[in-house]
Amino acid sequence: MKKSGKGSITGILLTVGLVIVLCLQSGCRSCKKEVRETVGSVAPMLVTDEVRDIDSNIYHTIRIGKQTWLRENLKSTRFSNGDPIPEVGDGRKWSKRGAAAYCNYDNDAIFAVTYGRLYNWHAVDDSRGICPAGYHVPTDGEWFELTASLGGEGVAGGKLKEEGTTHWSEPNTGGTNESGFTALPGGYRGDRGSFQILDDYCFFWTSTTCDAASAWSRFLQNDDDAVYRIENIKTFGFSVRCLKDR
């Protein structure tokens, strides 16, 4: 992985023989880190509310700064109005799909119990909504707000990651989970349909598009304590973490 400094990527990420093309879409901003000043960090506050999605999956909440997040990745298989989100297991069909879809890592539902499901960006952008009532997929700006409240992108990753190596592979650099966010390394599904880097990385969609082919996302990794902002093709399968409406 080529990085231009902590919290940024310029180029491509190479992993297990699969090339993830980043920042190659015309008309998009650079993936270089946008430096935002922050003073200190905000201590999280546990919120005891239980939230259920349309499938009756139960989530818990955590307040970080002025935001209230779900502490688990989304697991829903239906839109908020009850319509099913198509499950697409076949890699070739996944890579060519231009509409909403979800899958389980390695097409095995057992992974969804711990890591939630993986969604393409078309599911994120669907007007029917995929988050529980009163919640939404956060924007790029709302992710900036989260990392700023935790001391900035350069250190926020460690504060967001689950502590220890029960799920994260070693060394899980900086993983303290002092935010209570409990980010888990659920890997991703590439635009060619293959599954990659479970235990090492987690990727989260934002609801902010860049152009017709790509949208903004965030990722965390096992050997760094930063949060990285990258542009990815909309056919990738990433985790979704929902944020409470204001």
Side-chain angles (χ1 to χ4, degrees):
M1 181 187 303
K2 183 180 179 183
K3 303 176 186 176
S4 64
K6 206 163 193 178
S8 64
I9 289 183
T10 59
I12 59 174
L13 169 66
L14 302 176
T15 173
V16 199
L18 177 67
V19 178
I20 308 174
V21 181
L22 306 176
C23 304
L24 298 183
Q25 304 301 326
S26 61
C28 293
R29 291 179 292 168
S30 168
C31 288
K32 292 182 70 174
K33 178 181 177 181
E34 294 189 10
V35 178
R36 302 204 173 191
E37 295 295 329
T38 181
V39 179
S41 60
V42 178
M45 181 178 69
L46 287 174
V47 181
T48 57
D49 295 346
E50 285 191 352
V51 177
R52 293 177 183 264
D53 64 22
I54 191 71
D55 291 335
S56 295
N57 295 304
I58 297 175
Y59 307 87
H60 304 88
T61 58
I62 183 74
R63 188 165 181 82
I64 307 172
K66 297 180 179 179
Q67 298 175 313
T68 300
W69 293 80
L70 297 186
R71 285 193 285 148
E72 297 87 13
N73 293 343
L74 188 67
K75 299 178 181 178
S76 181
T77 63
R78 291 187 290 166
F79 292 108
S80 296
N81 68 350
D83 291 345
I85 305 171
E87 181 179 5
V88 178
D90 182 78
R92 181 171 297 182
K93 291 180 180 178
W94 179 274
S95 67
K96 295 181 179 180
R97 188 167 178 82
Y102 85 90
C103 64
N104 300 306
Y105 189 91
D106 217 19
N107 289 322
D108 188 339
I110 193 63
F111 289 108
V113 175
T114 300
Y115 301 106
R117 306 188 196 278
L118 301 174
Y119 302 85
N120 65 16
W121 193 82
H122 303 292
V124 169
D125 189 50
D126 196 287
S127 61
R128 289 169 287 184
I130 60 173
C131 287
Y135 286 77
H136 63 277
V137 180
T139 65
D140 191 47
E142 287 170 327
W143 265 96
F144 272 126
E145 181 179 345
L146 173 64
T147 54
S149 72
L150 295 172
E153 290 174 303
V155 296
K159 297 175 183 180
L160 292 169
K161 291 189 294 180
E162 180 190 58
E163 186 178 7
T165 54
T166 300
H167 298 104
W168 285 96
S169 60
E170 294 182 351
N172 193 16
T173 302
T176 65
N177 197 32
E178 74 174 65
S179 68
F181 189 88
T182 318
L184 297 175
Y188 72 95
R189 191 174 199 180
D191 64 333
R192 298 179 184 178
S194 62
F195 297 94
Q196 304 289 339
I197 50 181
L198 185 77
D199 304 333
D200 294 332
Y201 285 73
C202 60
F203 292 78
F204 297 102
W205 280 123
T206 80
S207 60
T208 304
T209 189
C210 183
D211 65 9
S214 59
W216 291 111
S217 62
R218 296 296 190 281
F219 80 83
L220 292 73
Q221 62 194 70
N222 69 313
D223 58 354
D224 203 332
D225 57 0
V227 173
Y228 291 94
R229 175 181 184 256
I230 58 173
E231 171 196 338
N232 265 309
I233 298 170
K234 294 177 180 178
T235 51
F236 276 51
F238 288 167
S239 300
V240 168
R241 189 65 72 92
C242 298
L243 177 64
K244 189 173 184 178
D245 300 343
R246 287 181 175 173

